[in-house]
Amino acid sequence: MAPVPPGIRLLTSFNRDQWYRALTFALTFLLYTSFHLSRKPISIVKSELHKNCSSANELATVGSGGSGSQEPPPPSLHTNTDCSWKPFDKSNYKQLLGAMDYSFLCAYAVGMYVSGIIGERLPIRLYLTVGMLTSGLFTCLFGLGYVYNVHNLGFYIFVQVANGLVQTTGWPSVVTCIGNWFGKGRRGLIMGLWNSHTSVGNILGSLIAGYWVSSNWGLSFIVPGLIIAAMGVICFLFLIEHPNDLKSVYAQNLSPTKSVSFKSWNGANGHSEVYLQYKDNKYQSSDTELLLPRDSVCVPVQPVVVVKSESEPSAISFMGALRIPGVIEFSLCLLFAKLVSYTFLFWLPLYITKAAHLDAKKAGDLSTLFDVGGIVGGILAGVISDKLGKRATTCAIMLLLAAPMLYGFSMISQFGLGPTIVMLLVCGGLVNGPYALITTAVSADLGTHKSLKGNARALSTVTAIIDGTGSVGAAVGPLLAGLLSARGWDKVFYMLMTADFLALLLLLQLVMKELASSKSRPISAVEFKEH
């Protein structure tokens, strides 16, 4: 007999539950990657909607003059008097671009509070599928504005508002699924790895949008829209909301070729004991052949008696979720942390274009380094908080370090490409680390808080409250950046440092509680043992 290949031994070393966990981890990772992938194009396309027309004309003149030909350059698809896209060709283009960001993020913030409550009362798989399909539709609609030469600001605002509302189906749904499948043990590490989907989506969105931004920016939206719609179909086919959902599948597949009849008798204390009668002479499945004889006999299901509760735990109310210790503090902290993160998300490529004098594609590619740093920062935040058992303290340390780094980035980014790359990586880690930790591990911890007495249906509402409050900051940040950048980019960075400092202040009370608890008991006794 030939030895079993080592790869097969590795595959068979995992049980069925572990494989389903891996599937849920990978699938929810890819699902939310597609959400962020579809949000990123607007930041890449901004520099194309309003270009430096004098530079573009100079390049066109040099190109035609160097060819030695007197023939005029070939006509473009859109022959406007200038090189910008109406209505973003005016001097107030920054305010108009900021209004588009604000319309999406404001709708997202308002919708998030409702989304979590709805998500707890509907099947998550169907809810998420509908949200992804409609999000794909509205993302494609934005790109079709280029194809059909739409120059109406109201059209783009409407699409952004609608897309912001339907994208609220994503976060509460995927966090609830991942929280159902993974316990508190190593939750910070697991969710730190898992939350890198945010940065991966931003990177892929930047690369996809940047590929077409200069030639046909409509495809910068249409392709991501088709991707998120396709992932919605995959979600419908494969997403498993909770491990308990597989019990019916196990029961159906336990013995599909057998004729099974049920008999009952009144057992002790009035319980109804159930017998399963197998009427064939074939071998039982590998799961049951050691427990059940192969002849036709009645076997009592002993000694477990399943008593179904008369009613399932009711979904938690909005005010009930707010009363969970730590929800308000972390929600307000996330408001300012997400303000900083989303300002970078929507305005970093344009800032690099202006500060480093790069074209839209190169600026978009360079901006992905901020998200690379965010991946490392999110994982480090999860590992450190697991090791210390102190979520608030971990966030506070990173916020404290982020403020001076933001100031350094505003200074060093003007001194060349090398320093800019280093500061993008460092700022990305320190800015996105607390944001990632609060929206994942902290939200899951609070959604399964001991004060809920095992009511798992609160997780979606708690997640929606925390991320919804953070989304208020995400809406305000890009809007303020659009207004302040007209007075100089240094004003934008002062605003970001102020927000970072306020986020730190809001966590101080929780930090003091964590430090006080560590004095009363050793760190190893902190309850993060459950898996």
Side-chain angles (χ1 to χ4, degrees):
M1 181 181 295
V4 178
I8 300 300
R9 286 203 302 268
L10 176 64
L11 293 177
T12 56
S13 65
F14 299 100
N15 59 38
R16 182 165 48 190
D17 180 64
Q18 289 172 324
W19 278 115
Y20 278 120
R21 284 191 181 192
L23 171 64
T24 303
F25 183 95
L27 182 57
T28 52
F29 181 96
L30 293 175
L31 292 179
Y32 210 72
T33 294
S34 66
F35 273 93
H36 264 265
L37 183 148
S38 66
R39 295 178 196 174
K40 187 65 178 179
I42 185 64
S43 65
I44 304 297
V45 173
K46 278 179 182 177
S47 55
E48 190 70 18
L49 295 177
H50 185 91
K51 295 197 295 186
N52 188 336
C53 299
S54 60
S55 299
N57 293 333
E58 287 174 6
L59 289 174
T61 303
V62 171
S64 61
S67 62
S69 173
Q70 300 299 321
E71 296 181 1
S76 62
L77 178 62
H78 303 284
T79 57
N80 297 324
T81 56
D82 55 26
C83 60
S84 297
W85 185 267
K86 296 179 184 296
F88 306 103
D89 57 337
K90 301 179 177 61
S91 60
N92 64 338
Y93 72 96
K94 289 184 179 179
Q95 287 78 5
L96 296 181
L97 294 174
M100 282 207 305
D101 295 340
Y102 183 75
S103 60
F104 173 89
L105 294 168
C106 188
Y108 186 86
V110 173
M112 184 61 72
Y113 288 108
V114 182
S115 178
I117 298 173
I118 296 175
E120 286 187 355
R121 292 158 174 83
L122 294 176
I124 289 177
R125 180 173 60 90
L126 300 180
Y127 184 56
L128 185 56
T129 298
V130 172
M132 297 184 76
L133 292 176
T134 51
S135 179
L137 171 64
F138 289 119
T139 303
C140 289
L141 274 179
F142 198 106
L144 290 175
Y146 176 87
V147 177
Y148 292 101
N149 207 13
V150 178
H151 296 278
N152 189 324
L153 180 64
F155 169 80
Y156 297 106
I157 295 293
F158 166 76
V159 172
Q160 288 287 84
V161 170
N163 203 9
L165 289 174
V166 297
Q167 286 226 349
T168 59
T169 60
W171 189 245
S173 300
V174 294
V175 171
T176 299
C177 285
I178 205 74
N180 289 338
W181 278 93
F182 294 90
K184 290 186 178 180
R186 300 188 302 277
R187 178 175 278 171
L189 171 61
I190 292 171
M191 288 201 162
L193 291 168
W194 177 76
N195 193 66
S196 62
H197 54 52
T198 300
S199 297
V200 172
N202 291 339
I203 292 171
L204 292 177
S206 298
L207 296 177
I208 292 173
Y211 184 81
W212 284 289
V213 64
S214 298
S215 57
N216 183 347
W217 63 257
L219 289 176
S220 297
F221 290 91
I222 293 174
V223 173
L226 294 176
I227 291 174
I228 189 174
M231 291 304 300
V233 176
I234 294 175
C235 169
F236 176 79
L237 295 175
F238 295 104
L239 183 64
I240 306 169
E241 302 174 19
H242 197 283
N244 291 338
D245 297 340
L246 294 172
K247 291 183 179 179
S248 61
V249 178
Y250 292 158
Q252 293 172 4
N253 296 334
L254 180 63
S255 185
T257 61
K258 297 175 175 59
S259 174
V260 182
S261 62
F262 294 88
K263 295 183 178 180
S264 64
W265 64 288
N266 290 329
N269 300 324
H271 293 296
S272 178
E273 306 295 340
V274 180
Y275 285 86
L276 299 179
Q277 185 175 10
Y278 290 82
K279 295 185 177 179
D280 67 345
N281 294 322
K282 297 181 180 180
Y283 287 92
Q284 308 296 330
S285 65
S286 59
D287 293 321
T288 59
E289 63 179 348
L290 297 179
L291 302 176
L292 301 180
R294 296 168 188 168
D295 298 327
S296 177
V297 295
C298 293
V299 182
V301 181
Q302 294 283 358
V304 179
V305 177
V306 179
V307 180
K308 187 178 182 353
S309 61
E310 296 182 357
S311 61
E312 295 183 356
S314 58
I316 193 171
S317 65
F318 184 86
M319 295 305 298
L322 287 179
R323 285 193 289 268
I324 299 173
V327 168
I328 294 178
E329 290 89 341
F330 276 113
S331 297
L332 294 176
C333 172
L334 184 63
L335 186 150
F336 293 104
K338 204 167 181 179
L339 182 153
V340 178
S341 180
Y342 266 66
T343 300
F344 274 96
L345 173 66
F346 282 89
W347 286 93
L348 181 59
L350 183 61
Y351 170 74
I352 294 175
T353 300
K354 303 300 181 183
H357 307 290
L358 300 175
D359 60 27
K361 185 180 185 306
K362 291 181 180 179
D365 293 343
L366 189 61
S367 69
T368 61
L369 294 175
F370 183 84
D371 295 297
V372 173
I375 294 175
V376 178
I379 295 173
L380 281 178
V383 171
I384 294 171
S385 67
D386 277 347
K387 190 73 173 177
L388 300 179
K390 296 177 175 60
R391 309 287 197 207
T393 304
T394 303
C395 291
I397 292 174
M398 299 188 81
L399 290 169
L400 182 64
L401 295 174
M405 289 299 171
L406 289 173
Y407 180 77
F409 176 70
S410 67
M411 298 290 104
I412 295 179
S413 59
Q414 303 175 10
F415 292 99
L417 191 61
T420 300
I421 291 175
V422 174
M423 293 304 295
L424 278 172
L425 293 170
V426 174
C427 289
L430 294 176
V431 167
N432 284 340
Y435 162 42
L437 187 62
I438 294 173
T439 54
T440 54
V442 170
S443 295
D445 288 347
L446 296 175
T448 55
H449 193 269
K450 61 183 180 180
S451 64
L452 297 171
K453 300 178 180 179
N455 183 1
R457 297 187 68 183
L459 181 55
S460 181
T461 298
V462 170
T463 301
I465 289 174
I466 293 176
D467 197 53
T469 306
S471 298
V472 175
V476 173
L479 177 65
L480 291 177
L483 297 174
L484 295 175
S485 60
R487 304 179 182 179
W489 286 103
D490 57 331
K491 304 295 189 302
V492 176
F493 281 96
Y494 291 145
M495 179 266 291
L496 296 178
M497 287 184 283
T498 301
D500 191 82
F501 181 71
L502 292 174
L504 174 62
L505 287 180
L506 288 165
L507 284 184
L508 286 181
Q509 184 177 2
L510 294 178
V511 171
M512 298 302 294
K513 288 182 179 179
E514 287 183 348
L515 295 178
S517 65
S518 65
K519 294 179 180 178
S520 60
R521 59 176 178 171
I523 293 177
S524 59
V526 178
E527 295 180 358
F528 285 98
K529 303 293 184 183
E530 180 188 345
H531 185 70

